[in-house]
Amino acid sequence: MDQLPASVDHDILAHRSIAAIATIRETFDCTIHQAVDAYARRYEELRRDRPGDFRPS
């Protein structure tokens, strides 16, 4: 999966996992399992590269 929409990052940073996964599924027309895997990869990238951008839960 190549380029994710910016809204996915915004949803991840705001702890809106379901919205982010739904966007990934719609964008790439993939299974829920593939979308969750893509979400997890992007979450880890953001945690590593932009830890200060996460909003408190």
Side-chain angles (χ1 to χ4, degrees):
M1 295 191 192
D2 295 332
Q3 200 69 335
L4 292 172
S7 64
V8 172
D9 285 358
H10 296 296
D11 287 335
I12 290 172
L13 294 171
H15 304 287
R16 293 189 300 258
S17 304
I18 294 172
I21 292 168
T23 301
I24 293 168
R25 287 194 74 199
E26 292 169 8
T27 301
F28 296 108
D29 192 31
C30 61
T31 68
I32 188 78
H33 298 290
Q34 292 168 323
V36 169
D37 289 344
Y39 171 89
R41 284 191 303 273
R42 186 61 184 149
Y43 180 93
E44 290 303 320
E45 290 171 358
L46 290 172
R47 271 298 200 193
R48 181 188 66 229
D49 300 339
R50 299 170 52 186
D53 289 344
F54 280 80
R55 296 181 188 161
S57 49

